[in-house]
Amino acid sequence: MKITTIGIDLAKEVFQIHGVDMYGKALLRKQLRRSEMSKFFANLEPCLIGMEACGSSHHWARKLCEFGHTVKLMSPQFVKPYVKTNKHDMADAEAICEAVSRPNMRFVSIKNIEQQAILSVHRARQGFVKARTAQANQIRGLLSEFGIVIPQGIRSIINRVPDILEDAGNDLPGSMRHLLKQLNDHLKQLSRQIEELELQIKLWHKENEASQRLEAIPGIGPITASAIVATVGNATEFKNGKQLSAWFGLVPKQCSSGGKQILLGISKRGDTYLRTLLIHGARAVIRFAENKEEPESWLRKLIARRNKNIAAVALANKNARIIWALLAQGTTFHHNRATTSVAAEHDYGVA
């Protein structure tokens, strides 16, 4: 019998393989070391291969596609229900093989090398931003022990620290002044590294046509647009904009039963980084809309009757739907102030 479907439990060195025929009968159960993977699948007839979306999954998906196989990635949370026994590599591989053959399974789009590269830049930038925030808070906390209070904000620390170092009347000992100078230099270095990575992101954004189309949406700039394009790709894995918005975690949790609909707070599923960028961008649009938008616009009406936090999430929900249309259908965004978004309101429960 011919092997038609294979499930692979990925690992660092030892990979578990489970293969079945068209009737679901197990024909293959074996372990492969990393050095044996390419040779084994190069000599295997093309088939459907399932893997969990985890570390190195996109690399192996690209590699196996080169051998003519059809590779599909799945979220681990969707594979777990198919594990029939205690968790071990063989059971996981069998569960993956079973899950990938389900017609209603949701799959993860395979990222190319360029997408993974720019996402690595985003992750590095995010790490530097967190480190800079931690360093600024440390400086502020240490100075407060000596009675020196600095207002919140990175810019306040950068502007105030040189004056504090030169002020001989603040009773700071020499050792503390030396430490403060070192911490301030480290803070400036982190800021320079963030600026360099942001420049790389903007250069990639200028060369990517899809990312530039997303930038036309109010509340989405080069950072957000490039991160979404690198993560979502052409968005064809999602049937509509509502699915993409739900994947971002911008729709409410449901606890509905017996025909009674109960909506809770947003689900916060999916990529936290992308959701944060979308909501922060929506907040910027709301600050602008309070004074600049027409009184009869959808956003002004929404702000007038609901909390700004709810309005920000509703606007981010709306933008997510627009993003799907631009990526999946290849359309161009044209801003129309008279356009309303009842669907976004209803999806978030603010109508």
Side-chain angles (χ1 to χ4, degrees):
M1 277 290 187
K2 176 185 175 182
I3 296 176
T4 59
T5 308
I6 290 180
I8 304 177
D9 183 41
L10 297 175
K12 293 181 178 178
E13 292 297 335
V14 180
F15 300 76
Q16 183 68 41
I17 312 296
H18 183 91
V20 299
D21 60 14
M22 61 184 298
Y23 300 106
K25 182 180 179 181
L27 300 179
L28 175 67
R29 289 192 184 97
K30 68 180 302 181
Q31 288 184 343
L32 293 175
R33 300 197 68 82
R34 174 177 291 272
S35 58
E36 302 170 339
M37 284 282 289
S38 297
K39 182 179 179 181
F40 177 82
F41 284 100
N43 297 325
L44 189 68
E45 291 188 27
C47 60
L48 173 64
I49 298 177
M51 295 183 291
E52 290 181 332
C54 58
S56 77
S57 61
H58 292 279
H59 163 74
W60 284 113
R62 292 192 299 267
K63 192 77 172 177
L64 299 181
C65 284
E66 293 176 359
F67 300 142
H69 301 288
T70 301
V71 182
K72 294 186 177 181
L73 304 181
M74 300 163 289
S75 174
Q77 64 178 339
F78 296 148
V79 176
K80 187 175 182 181
Y82 293 93
V83 178
K84 300 182 179 66
T85 179
N86 296 324
K87 176 177 171 54
H88 51 80
D89 292 347
M90 188 178 297
D92 289 345
E94 183 180 357
I96 294 170
C97 185
E98 176 72 18
V100 75
S101 63
R102 297 298 91 196
N104 60 345
M105 178 56 63
R106 297 176 181 176
F107 300 104
V108 178
S109 59
I110 300 174
K111 297 180 177 63
N112 57 40
I113 295 178
E114 289 75 18
Q115 287 177 297
Q116 285 196 289
I118 195 62
L119 279 178
S120 298
V121 177
H122 274 276
R123 295 296 181 245
R125 173 187 172 275
Q126 186 182 17
F128 284 137
V129 169
K130 289 183 178 180
R132 184 179 65 176
T133 302
Q135 184 65 87
N137 289 337
Q138 185 182 44
I139 293 174
R140 186 180 291 105
L142 291 174
L143 288 176
S144 67
E145 297 294 331
F146 293 89
I148 301 175
V149 179
I150 299 180
Q152 292 185 356
I154 302 295
R155 187 58 56 187
S156 298
I157 292 180
I158 294 176
N159 294 335
R160 288 285 305 277
V161 168
D163 296 335
I164 294 173
L165 291 173
E166 295 178 2
D167 186 6
N170 53 26
D171 297 330
L172 284 180
S175 59
M176 181 59 192
R177 292 179 187 274
H178 181 69
L179 173 63
L180 184 60
K181 183 178 183 305
Q182 286 182 311
L183 296 179
N184 190 46
D185 290 342
H186 184 222
L187 184 66
K188 292 180 179 178
Q189 183 181 7
L190 291 172
S191 296
R192 286 193 297 269
Q193 290 173 322
I194 293 172
E195 292 174 358
E196 291 174 0
L197 294 180
E198 287 181 352
L199 179 59
Q200 292 185 35
I201 293 173
K202 291 177 180 178
L203 291 175
W204 187 90
H205 166 76
K206 290 181 179 180
E207 297 176 356
N208 189 279
E209 186 266 342
S211 183
Q212 292 181 32
R213 282 191 282 116
L214 295 190
E215 189 183 13
I217 304 173
I220 295 182
I223 301 295
T224 306
S226 60
I228 291 175
V229 171
T231 304
V232 178
N234 56 15
T236 54
E237 295 292 340
F238 303 93
K239 294 182 180 179
N240 49 45
K242 186 175 181 180
Q243 280 196 0
L244 179 60
S245 180
W247 184 80
F248 282 135
L250 294 171
V251 300
K253 290 181 181 178
Q254 286 200 44
C255 186
S256 304
S257 179
K260 183 178 181 181
Q261 188 181 49
I262 300 177
L263 300 180
L264 307 175
I266 59 174
S267 64
K268 296 185 178 180
R269 294 172 180 168
D271 195 319
T272 303
Y273 179 64
L274 296 181
R275 183 172 60 256
T276 301
L277 291 176
L278 285 172
I279 292 179
H280 284 344
R283 293 185 194 280
V285 174
I286 288 174
R287 286 197 300 269
F288 176 86
E290 288 179 315
N291 299 320
K292 302 294 182 180
E293 284 283 351
E294 297 177 1
E296 295 301 317
S297 67
W298 166 77
L299 188 56
R300 282 289 295 272
K301 291 180 179 179
L302 179 59
I303 297 172
R305 70 178 189 273
R306 299 308 299 264
N307 184 278
K308 289 182 181 179
N309 291 330
I310 294 178
V313 176
L315 180 58
N317 185 317
K318 175 184 176 181
N319 287 343
R321 293 166 179 250
I322 297 174
I323 288 169
W324 178 86
L326 298 186
L327 294 178
Q329 301 175 1
T331 55
T332 303
F333 178 78
H334 299 285
H335 182 58
N336 183 2
R337 294 178 183 270
T339 302
T340 60
S341 183
V342 177
E345 292 190 38
H346 182 269
D347 193 32
Y348 188 60
V350 299

